[in-house]
Amino acid sequence: MTEARGTVGTTVGIAGVAWLIGALVLGFRWSGRQSTDGVWHDDVSLTRWVVCWALLALLAVATAPRLPRWSLRVCALLPFTLWVVWELRHGALGPIPMVIYLVPTAFVWSVALISGDWMRRRPAGG
């Protein structure tokens, strides 16, 4: 029972760090604006998203052993994901930006977790 509580607590802590990375890197001003007909610019640049994805990848690699099950791994990213959806909720483009930003986020998170698992399983010196 103590191990289960520790795992849930660890997941909550990692989820908090993932959200904090997003909040610090991406900020809280997410309104898009139309500069000319059909051309939209986000207040959050792609460069900031790449930095966020890189930091999330580092977090995932570092914490992969602390999240032994995929259900915990998904739960650790869920608050960040919900926050992104919340920030994009008033967008004129509907769910398109959510897909554009969340698919790479989930991909980076998953690949980094798998990489973290792989790095810990390979034999020393090989």
Side-chain angles (χ1 to χ4, degrees):
M1 184 69 152
T2 307
E3 182 180 330
R5 258 191 261 152
T7 304
V8 170
T10 301
T11 303
V12 169
I14 293 168
V17 173
W19 177 83
L20 188 61
I21 287 170
L24 292 175
V25 174
L26 302 175
F28 292 95
R29 187 166 181 236
W30 287 48
S31 59
R33 61 192 182 287
Q34 188 172 10
S35 57
T36 59
D37 287 340
V39 179
W40 288 81
H41 294 281
D42 292 328
D43 284 337
V44 180
S45 69
L46 187 56
T47 303
R48 291 169 84 183
W49 273 103
V50 169
V51 170
C52 182
W53 290 327
L55 292 173
L56 286 174
L58 290 173
L59 176 66
V61 167
T63 59
R66 298 183 185 275
L67 299 170
R69 296 186 312 269
W70 276 97
S71 60
L72 296 173
R73 293 171 173 200
V74 170
C75 287
L77 192 60
L78 192 58
F80 175 85
T81 303
L82 294 174
W83 176 68
V84 169
V85 170
W86 176 260
E87 289 292 332
L88 294 171
R89 72 192 180 280
H90 294 302
L93 299 175
I96 295 170
M98 294 174 200
V99 172
I100 290 170
Y101 296 128
L102 290 177
V103 167
T105 300
F107 179 77
V108 165
W109 183 254
S110 300
V111 169
L113 286 166
I114 291 167
S115 297
D117 290 341
W118 179 79
M119 287 189 305
R120 283 167 184 75
R121 287 191 186 129
R122 88 180 168 188

